[in-house]
Amino acid sequence: MKNAFVKNILCIGAGYVGGPTMAMIAYKCPRYKVTVVDINHERIAQWNSDRLPVYEPGLGEIIGAVRGRNLFFDTDIDRCIKEASIIFVAVNTPTKVFGAGAGMAADLQYWEKTARQIREAADSPKIVIEKCTIPVKTALAMERILTSQEGSVSFDVISNPEFLAEGTAMRDLEFPDRVLIGSRETDRGIRARREIVDIYANWVPRERIIESNIWSSELSKLVANAFLAQRISSINAVSALCEKTDADVQEVARAIGLDSRLGSKFLNASVGFGGSCFKKDILNLVYLCRSYGLSEVADYWESVVKINEYQKDRFVLAMLSAMFNTLAGKKIALFGFAFKADTGDTRETPALYVAKSIVEERAGLVITDPQALRNAMADLEGVDNITYEIDPYKAAAGCDAIALMTEWKLYTGLDYERIYASMTKPAFIFDGRNILDRTRLFEIGFNVFSIGKTPLVHV
Ligand SMILES: NC(=O)c1ccc[n+]([C@@H]2O[C@H](COP(=O)([O-])OP(=O)(O)OC[C@H]3O[C@@H](n4cnc5c(N)ncnc54)[C@H](O)[C@@H]3O)[C@@H](O)[C@H]2O)c1
């Protein structure tokens, strides 16, 4: 069986990107052997178990079909580097929290360690692919590291940023809007990028595979995330104005979204965007602009993050003001903790900010979420006065208010009459995602607060 594989692909980093993307490549390319490695042995053990470390609709089925067939999770990074001819790098690139650029620049330590490890372990030519989101020109640094040892084998560095969205990762991977592959525009660079094109061409229509120079590819990923986040901040800024003027943000979004020049996606006002990428990628872009002396451009993009912080703040202040300017001694249920529906990921979730603010106001908190309770407990470790409950009915019982944080579909189908009956009165509901039927909730007896709409209040 060993010789039946035509390509040996490795991915370094078995996270939200590495695991699902490699599962899809293995699924669509049965003649390739795909291995995913990680320094985190526990994560690898979870990928090899029935309890995957990442929740994504459809992921479990694909892993079940390919694991042990042509997809393998391993911890012996050096051996796997030696065996592979194509190496994807999907390690984390968080915002730097120390030294120069702290709070803005990308922390490239994991990425650089990986480059060094590849250089040390490789004994044959490799194509190394940046899958992680990194500052433009990082490929240059990677090339320098890889080739900085005399007599080292040859490396080609390719940029292939990942555009999947958590919650829809498997669909995004199977039917991507586009796959972007950048390389140096030399004969060798183009030959290397064609090898990567050949992998995706197994299932992605050729016209959706875009080739570009390496710097455009790196920058496109940062800019795509900045544009997406900018749309959210724009509609959230409008939601603040709607609340002052009795306009309805959903009506405004619908009216502008039907303009074909604008389109209707990413126009849902909410408590703010979260996730591991938007904030860090914009700040990374801001840092890049500043380092090139483009302070006006940097300020423009930074305002997207500022509006997001403002929106989270506004949400907490609205709760406080609606509940008679005190939360002390009250009990509040958070419906949802993940940063969006259909994922258990809680990185940068607005719910964390809201939870901490509520506890600071000395209210008791009950958190419910179908997939994110494990991460919520880790995020809030050491914070008192919080309980965790998988059942939303039990979570709401005895509470003064519900704050809906995540747009899980299950929250739209609950029996709110039953919930209302179990709560302390007056009962409040703060819909941070505008997914609930507010008229119905008001009829039941709730005081209803939605983003960008006039509140419906009995008291
Ligand atoms: N999460 C997303 O939705 C998403 C989407 C597109 C792009 N990205 C980008 O992809 C990259 C990875 O993101 P993620 O969400 O998968 O991160 P993650 O934190 O879930 O996974 C990264 C993994 O890399 C491992 N790792 C770190 N250093 C290593 C090393 N030296 N050797 C081996 N393994 C190492 C970590 O242990 C971790 O398991 C980031 O640059 C991110 O910006 C993420």
Side-chain angles (χ1 to χ4, degrees):
M1 265 317 275
K2 217 175 170 188
N3 295 331
F5 295 120
V6 295
K7 267 192 219 299
N8 221 333
I9 294 174
L10 175 66
C11 177
I12 303 181
Y16 287 86
V17 167
T21 43
M22 292 304 122
M24 187 55 71
I25 290 178
Y27 182 64
K28 295 291 184 183
C29 312
R31 298 190 63 212
Y32 300 171
K33 180 182 177 192
V34 182
T35 308
V36 189
V37 290
D38 204 293
I39 38 170
N40 182 339
H41 291 200
E42 194 189 326
R43 222 170 202 191
I44 291 296
Q46 288 173 337
W47 280 112
N48 279 322
S49 75
D50 290 336
R51 202 160 167 241
L52 301 180
V54 168
Y55 170 73
E56 274 295 333
L59 174 64
E61 289 79 351
I62 292 205
I63 293 282
V66 293
R67 194 175 51 197
R69 179 190 85 177
N70 65 328
L71 177 67
F72 303 89
F73 293 93
D74 208 319
T75 50
D76 188 342
I77 303 179
D78 284 348
R79 177 180 48 77
C80 292
I81 289 172
K82 283 189 179 40
E83 286 173 3
S85 58
I86 295 176
I87 302 175
F88 287 87
V89 179
V91 299
N92 37 330
T93 52
T95 303
K96 218 176 154 197
V97 290
F98 54 88
M104 283 256 158
D107 182 349
L108 296 173
Q109 60 169 309
Y110 308 101
W111 167 92
E112 187 181 326
K113 278 181 196 136
T114 308
R116 287 177 194 279
Q117 189 164 11
I118 294 172
R119 185 190 66 193
E120 298 304 321
D123 53 13
S124 58
K126 315 280 174 201
I127 299 177
V128 179
I129 302 129
E130 303 171 332
K131 207 59 176 129
C132 22
T133 308
I134 36 192
V136 64
K137 296 274 175 180
T138 305
L140 194 61
M142 185 173 243
E143 274 177 358
R144 285 202 184 123
I145 291 170
L146 289 171
T147 54
S148 62
Q149 200 152 282
E150 257 187 54
S152 69
V153 296
S154 68
F155 296 97
D156 290 288
V157 178
I158 301 284
S159 162
N160 170 219
E162 185 47 60
F163 291 101
L164 68 79
E166 286 177 34
T168 53
M170 302 321 285
R171 199 177 64 213
D172 297 341
L173 288 167
E174 190 163 12
F175 307 106
D177 288 342
R178 73 333 206 160
V179 169
L180 179 56
I181 303 172
S183 72
R184 282 199 176 270
E185 311 245 70
T186 57
D187 287 350
R188 211 178 117 172
I190 289 170
R191 248 196 331 274
R193 98 179 169 210
R194 290 278 150 80
E195 276 223 43
I196 311 310
V197 170
D198 286 347
I199 297 175
Y200 287 101
N202 280 282
W203 78 96
V204 180
R206 189 61 189 79
E207 64 276 12
R208 285 183 185 260
I209 305 176
I210 305 171
E211 295 174 55
S212 76
N213 89 32
I214 198 161
W215 323 126
S216 310
S217 175
E218 288 179 326
L219 184 58
S220 299
K221 173 63 195 178
L222 288 184
V223 172
N225 274 357
F227 269 60
L228 291 169
Q230 176 265 329
R231 275 179 73 99
I232 299 175
S233 278
S234 294
I235 198 67
N236 281 343
V238 170
S239 77
L241 185 59
C242 287
E243 286 164 30
K244 296 279 183 209
T245 57
D246 288 339
D248 179 320
V249 75
Q250 282 181 307
E251 291 177 359
V252 174
R254 181 158 186 273
I256 62 171
L258 285 171
D259 186 328
S260 58
R261 293 168 303 175
L262 293 171
S264 60
K265 293 190 178 153
F266 272 66
L267 285 181
N268 290 327
S270 70
V271 59
F273 60 73
S276 64
C277 295
F278 280 178
K279 184 174 170 189
K280 96 169 156 67
D281 293 349
I282 296 175
L283 290 178
N284 191 339
L285 186 64
V286 169
Y287 187 73
L288 266 175
C289 293
R290 286 215 200 291
S291 61
Y292 284 108
L294 302 170
S295 53
E296 287 81 358
V297 184
D299 291 346
Y300 172 74
W301 287 113
E302 195 169 13
S303 69
V304 171
V305 175
K306 284 188 179 154
I307 287 289
N308 200 51
E309 306 300 326
Y310 168 71
Q311 190 74 348
K312 290 187 274 187
D313 228 20
R314 249 168 39 77
F315 188 80
V316 174
L317 290 177
M319 290 179 77
L320 194 57
S321 135
M323 296 177 74
F324 318 110
N325 291 313
T326 174
L327 302 183
K330 293 178 180 163
K331 201 170 145 202
I332 295 169
L334 286 197
F335 274 22
F337 199 82
F339 83 93
K340 66 192 282 199
D342 292 323
T343 176
D345 195 353
T346 60
R347 291 177 291 179
E348 294 292 338
T349 179
L352 181 59
Y353 175 82
V354 173
K356 284 184 173 167
S357 306
I358 290 172
V359 170
E360 267 168 32
E361 291 292 337
R362 308 215 169 150
L365 195 62
V366 190
I367 298 176
T368 182
D369 188 291
Q371 292 293 341
L373 286 189
R374 202 173 18 153
N375 283 336
M377 284 180 214
D379 295 344
L380 288 161
E381 204 188 331
V383 182
D384 293 334
N385 233 356
I386 304 181
T387 51
Y388 301 89
E389 170 57 63
I390 191 85
D391 180 344
Y393 292 103
K394 287 189 189 153
C399 284
D400 299 83
I402 295 169
L404 189 142
M405 295 285 103
T406 313
E407 71 280 24
W408 285 104
K409 199 156 175 249
L410 88 99
Y411 298 141
T412 59
L414 297 176
D415 178 350
Y416 281 95
E417 264 181 77
R418 178 179 155 199
I419 288 175
Y420 179 74
S422 73
M423 290 175 67
T424 301
K425 310 295 179 312
F428 294 82
I429 200 153
F430 300 88
D431 183 356
R433 297 287 179 165
N434 283 350
I435 59 167
L436 300 176
D437 181 345
R438 61 196 236 111
T439 313
R440 175 81 194 112
L441 292 173
F442 181 62
E443 281 164 10
I444 291 172
F446 282 104
N447 297 292
V448 189
F449 292 78
S450 315
I451 305 279
K453 292 169 189 257
T454 311
L456 299 175
V457 285
H458 300 282
V459 289

